[in-house]
């Protein structure tokens, strides 16, 4: 009888090892597992960082640094085939309403470490997640950026009843389109009759 | 009765271009040209107004790198050599142009001009900061400052400690030199992002200036558009908005006053035109560059450059001062009809525009201030004085903005310069980590950490990204960014390995000697 039990235990162990090493990508990746993976990111300047900067109301710039050991751990955990069939992505979230709503998903090449992303969402607050989309469509976050505000391009619709806009003051600014800016660059670039 | 206010604000800044390792640095000439053409002429004009008891109000922002360079003994000595060279060159020009009457009188003009500048420089014992301090004490000139190395703050949005350090170090440094903390700050490139006002509030700054759209797109919508400041709702810091109309008149080389055909042509200089052998003593490493002697006026389109006629240019400066006042009067009259408080027009400019880029700019400013002293409609003010009279301001949060081309961050973040941010961010994170690890370092380690912070701040100067974008001296901007980052990296490596090269550190401290009282703990 004990021999039978031993055999069953042995088979169960083989099956367990098979599932965690040979085809790990098929298993369900729980939120806890994702968190645990992020927690493996050592807290140092070299590890798992993504930064987002606003270029203008339509475009953001992001740069990231995912150290090799994170990617190695990923491969060890999910398997080489999962890695080869997965897709690195940046997800853009609109945080304006408090809860993040995904507004864009951009495939990236992890061999690069930066890219511009067109967002065309002036006035929102956003953040980014850089992660891996597995063949089973689960998304493993490797790094998360801080939130940034994208500047507005329109006059605010919010009116303070104690300070209603005064027509005389706003007369020169009838539309957003006639607002320009001038700076020292204008002086350098636009000067007529330059040396050339 | 005065019906509205005009706040003229000049922002004086140059990147830290001190090169003790070189004998004749091309970049130090940026400073020398600005001293000759802008800073000393401004000091002379304002002093004369005070001597003649002419009432005026003006705000001047002096950036910390500029204060540091103007106070630096090595640069002071080098400037003296430079201005003496110019005096000698002008003397040679008087001889050379003896048979060229159109240019001969101009050679005399430059000779007199350089002599006057030299005289003023010696009068203040080479210390122009003492001259500005004296002007500040008159109560007519409000002097403020900018961020430590003119770092572009909206691109430090994710690094609160570093953005705060840029401001705090600037305020401490300003206080060391001027004996008080300024009430306002000039945000480099007018670069503001929501949240920056909290840092300003922590550091007891009362006001800052944003570009026009920073106020127009504020929330809630400002009642008076840009013609009254707003107060940031949570921090209580006040934001003044730039007036676009008056900015264009002076800024725009195409539509504005500086492009007038009678004004001196900036881009034609004898440094590019006369025989190299004749000029070699006056050019750095015999490289052709501007000498400051320019004989031509802008002249009409499609016509050859004509000789400069100072009398005509002076008359134009007078006409343009009148025109500026006329336009402001109309603006104020129109606005004040329905406003329940006098409108304020805020007109900020780069100080180097006046004199360096626009040779007649100081003359124009002189005419303007004299005429405004007698004007019945417009009252000159400073943001500080305005806030003493008006405290009931609308709460409204300005929008992220800058005065760079396009109005946002695109001048300092684009395909030409975006590569720097990854390095700047990593370097800052690493330095903060090291600083936190070392609460009680040895004196040598402390010096190394202080210098590392100095190097980071110098790498963050907005000028490098700006130059990379404009494409003027890109190699120098790249070199400066990478050099400071590599210095920082080496310092941290040596700290890590407990092998600080004290001789190298001492050389670095001597070379990049800005902020001698800096304490790295500011970023902890």
């Amino acid at each position: 009888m004990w021999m039978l039990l031993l055999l069953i235990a042995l088979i169960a162990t083989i099956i367990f090892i098979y599932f965690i090493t040979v085809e790990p990508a098929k298993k369900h990746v729980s939120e806890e597992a994702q968190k645990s993976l992020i927690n493996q990111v050592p807290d140092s300047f070299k590890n798992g960082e993504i930064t987002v900067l606003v270029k203008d109301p339509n475009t953001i710039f992001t740069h990231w640094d995912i150290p090799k050991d994170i990617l190695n751990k990923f491969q060890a955990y999910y398997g080489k085939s999962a890695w080869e069939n997965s897709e690195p992505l940046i997800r853009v979230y609109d945080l304006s309403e408090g809860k993040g709503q995904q507004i864009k998903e951009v495939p990236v090449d992890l061999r690069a470490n930066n890219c511009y992303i067109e967002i065309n969402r002036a006035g929102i607050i956003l953040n980014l997640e850089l992660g891996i989309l597995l063949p089973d469509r689960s998304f493993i976050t490797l790094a998360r950026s801080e939130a940034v505000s994208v500047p507005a391009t329109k006059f605010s619709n919010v009116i303070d009843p104690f300070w209603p806009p005064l027509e005389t003051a706003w007369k020169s600014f009838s539309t957003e389109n006639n607002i320009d800016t001038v700076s020292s660059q204008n002086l350098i670039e636009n000067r007529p009759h330059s040396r050339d | 009765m005065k019906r509205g206010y005009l706040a003229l604000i000049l922002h004086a800044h140059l990147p830290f271009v001190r090169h003790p390792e070189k004998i004749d640095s091309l970049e130090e000439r940026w400073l020398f040209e600005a001293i000759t053409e802008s800073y000393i002429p401004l000091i002379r004009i304002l002093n004369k107004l005070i001597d003649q008891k002419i009432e005026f109000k003006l705000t001047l922002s002096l950036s910390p790198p500029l204060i540091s360079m103007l106070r630096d003994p090595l640069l002071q000595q080098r400037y003296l050599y430079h201005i003496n060279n110019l005096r000698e060159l002008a003397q040679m020009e008087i001889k050379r142009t003896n048979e060229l009457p159109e240019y001969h009188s101009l050679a005399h003009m430059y000779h007199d001009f350089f002599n006057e500048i030299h005289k003023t420089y010696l009068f203040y014992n080479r210390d122009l900061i003492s001259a500005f301090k004296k002007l500040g004490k008159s109560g007519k000139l409000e002097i403020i400052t900018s961020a430590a190395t003119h770092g572009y703050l909206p691109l430090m949005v994710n690094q609160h400690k570093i953005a705060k350090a840029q401001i705090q170090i600037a305020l401490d440094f300003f206080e060391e030199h001027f004996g008080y903390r300024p009430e306002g700050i000039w945000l480099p490139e007018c670069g503001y992002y929501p949240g920056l006002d909290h840092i300003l509030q922590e550091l007891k700054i009362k006001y800052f200036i944003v570009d026009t759209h920073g106020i127009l797109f504020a929330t809630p919508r400002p009642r008076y558009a840009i013609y009254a400041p707003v107060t940031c709702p949570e921090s209580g810091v006040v934001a003044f908005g730039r007036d676009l109309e008056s900015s264009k008149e002076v800024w725009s080389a195409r539509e504005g006053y500086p492009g007038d055909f009678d004004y001196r042509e900036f881009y034609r200089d004898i440094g590019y035109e006369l025989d190299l052998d004749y000029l070699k003593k006056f050019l750095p490493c015999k490289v052709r560059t501007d000498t400051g002697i320019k004989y031509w006026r802008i002249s009409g389109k499609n016509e050859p450059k004509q000789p400069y006629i100072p009398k005509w240019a002076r008359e134009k400066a007078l006409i343009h001062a009148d025109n500026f006042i006329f336009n402001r009067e109309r603006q104020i009259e129109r606005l004040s009809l329905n406003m329940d408080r006098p409108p304020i027009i805020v007109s900020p400019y780069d100080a180097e525009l006046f004199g360096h880029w626009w040779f007649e700019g100081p003359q124009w400013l002189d005419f303007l201030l004299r005429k405004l002293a007698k004007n019945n409609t417009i009252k000159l003010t400073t943001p500080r004085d305005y806030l003493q009279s008006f405290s009931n301001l609308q709460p409204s949060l300005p929008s992220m903005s800058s005065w760079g081309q396009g109005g946002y961050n695109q001048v300092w973040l684009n395909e030409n310069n975006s590569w720097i941010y990854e390095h700047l961010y990593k370097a800052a994170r690493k330095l903060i980590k090291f600083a936190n690890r070392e609460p009680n370092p040895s004196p040598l380690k402390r010096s190394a950490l202080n210098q590392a912070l100095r190097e980071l701040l110098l790498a963050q100067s907005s000028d490098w990204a700006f130059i990379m974008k404009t494409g003027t001296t890109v190699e120098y901007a790249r070199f400066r960014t990478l050099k400071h980052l590599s210095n920082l990296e080496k310092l941290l490596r040596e700290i890590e390995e407990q092998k600080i090269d004290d001789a190298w550190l001492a050389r670095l401290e001597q070379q990049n000697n800005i902020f001698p009282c800096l304490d790295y703990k500011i970023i902890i």
Side-chain angles (χ1 to χ4, degrees), chain A residues 45 52-55 113 116 152 154 156 158 163-164 166 168 170 180-183 187 190-191 193 195, chain B residues 158 211 217-218 220-223 242 244 251 254 265 267 298 305 334 338 403-404 408-409 414 422 426:
Chain A
F45 117 94
V52 59
L53 297 169
V54 173
K55 181 184 177 195
N113 66 351
Y116 286 96
K154 291 191 183 310
S156 173
V158 182
W163 301 87
L166 197 67
T168 318
W170 280 88
D180 194 4
T181 191
V182 283
S183 66
L187 203 67
N190 298 339
R191 183 145 183 140
H193 322 295
R195 191 175 291 128
Chain B
N158 298 313
D211 203 8
F217 298 157
R221 197 183 303 184
R223 173 170 169 76
R242 174 164 81 142
L244 195 57
W251 262 127
R254 201 171 287 278
E265 173 56 88
Y267 290 101
I298 290 174
K305 295 290 173 197
R334 171 169 53 82
N338 296 92
W403 76 351
Y408 300 96
N409 297 337
N414 55 67
E422 177 198 349
K426 276 185 182 176

Side-chain angles (χ1 to χ4, degrees), chain A residues 61-64 90 108-109 112-116, chain B residues 418-419 422:
Chain A
F61 173 73
T62 173
H63 60 85
W64 60 86
I90 286 178
V108 290
D109 183 344
N113 66 351
N114 65 72
C115 68
Y116 286 96
Chain B
S418 56
W419 62 271
E422 177 198 349

Side-chain angles (χ1 to χ4, degrees), chain B residues 3-260:
Chain B
R3 295 171 67 178
Y5 293 94
L6 173 65
L8 292 169
I9 299 171
L10 302 183
H11 171 53
H13 163 70
L14 283 173
F16 190 72
V17 286
R18 180 179 180 274
H19 287 286
E21 76 282 9
K22 292 186 199 168
I23 289 171
D24 208 354
S25 152
L26 198 61
E27 291 76 24
E28 284 180 0
R29 284 199 168 212
W30 301 348
L31 173 70
F32 301 159
E33 288 170 9
I35 290 175
T36 308
E37 296 165 346
S38 297
Y39 308 145
I40 293 182
L42 179 65
I43 289 167
R44 286 167 58 83
I45 283 168
L46 299 184
N47 271 326
K48 210 168 172 182
L49 292 172
I50 290 170
D51 288 348
Q52 295 173 353
K53 302 202 179 338
I54 291 169
E55 285 302 316
F56 70 91
K57 290 279 180 181
L58 185 69
T59 305
L60 175 69
S61 153
L62 294 171
S63 79
L66 183 61
I67 295 170
S68 177
M69 291 191 293
L70 290 177
R71 277 259 150 114
D72 185 80
L74 174 72
L75 291 174
Q76 289 172 344
Q77 186 194 333
R78 286 183 172 182
Y79 177 70
L80 205 53
Y81 179 77
H82 175 84
I83 189 70
N84 278 327
N85 260 347
L86 282 182
R87 292 165 69 208
E88 189 184 332
L89 179 59
Q91 189 66 56
M92 281 167 59
E93 279 297 278
I94 289 173
K95 275 188 199 158
R96 187 187 70 82
T97 57
N98 206 20
E99 304 297 319
L100 303 165
E102 284 168 319
Y103 303 117
H104 190 63
S105 61
L106 291 173
H108 272 290
M109 179 195 84
Y110 282 115
H111 188 251
D112 295 346
F113 175 66
F114 295 143
N115 279 342
E116 286 300 317
I117 296 297
H118 176 254
K119 203 170 109 187
T120 308
Y121 196 61
L122 291 186
F123 177 80
Y124 287 106
N125 200 18
R126 310 178 187 187
D127 179 14
L128 297 186
I129 294 301
S130 71
F132 284 122
K133 267 174 87 168
K134 193 176 153 216
L135 285 165
K137 282 181 183 159
S138 72
K140 294 177 169 56
L141 181 70
E142 179 184 350
I143 304 178
I144 59 171
T145 194
S146 189
T149 53
H150 217 254
Y152 184 67
L153 301 169
L155 293 177
M156 295 179 198
V157 59
N158 298 313
Q159 292 194 314
H160 177 87
K161 281 181 183 171
I162 297 295
K164 188 176 174 185
Q166 274 278 351
I167 308 272
Q168 193 172 346
I169 290 164
L171 297 177
D172 292 345
F173 185 70
F174 182 88
E175 194 172 3
E176 283 164 32
H177 288 272
F178 285 85
Y180 68 94
R181 281 177 102 78
E183 290 187 17
I185 193 154
W186 177 264
L187 299 176
E189 317 295 357
C190 271
Y192 167 81
Y193 62 90
L196 183 57
D197 49 298
H198 289 269
I199 294 178
L200 302 181
Q201 184 242 339
E202 284 174 49
L203 297 170
K204 299 188 169 45
I205 288 291
K206 288 186 182 158
Y207 74 84
F208 61 95
I209 294 113
V210 289
D211 203 8
T212 316
H213 55 298
I215 295 290
L216 293 182
F217 298 157
T219 306
R221 197 183 303 184
R223 173 170 169 76
Y224 306 108
I226 52 168
Y227 304 112
V230 295
T231 178
C232 300
E234 289 175 18
S235 64
V237 184
V238 174
F240 288 84
R242 174 164 81 142
D243 173 58
L244 195 57
E245 210 175 309
S246 58
S247 289
K248 274 188 176 169
E249 286 165 10
V250 178
W251 262 127
S252 173
R254 201 171 287 278
E255 306 159 41
Y257 307 137
D260 190 280

Side-chain angles (χ1 to χ4, degrees), chain A residues 12 31 34 42 64-65 75 91 100-101 105-106 109 114 118 128 140 144 146 148 154 183 186:
Chain A
E31 208 169 295
Q34 288 188 35
W64 60 86
D65 182 19
Q75 287 196 39
R91 284 180 169 172
Q101 187 198 349
E105 193 172 76
V106 185
D109 183 344
N114 65 72
E118 294 293 321
L128 307 182
I140 310 299
R144 186 176 289 123
E146 288 193 27
V148 291
K154 291 191 183 310
S183 66
N186 293 63

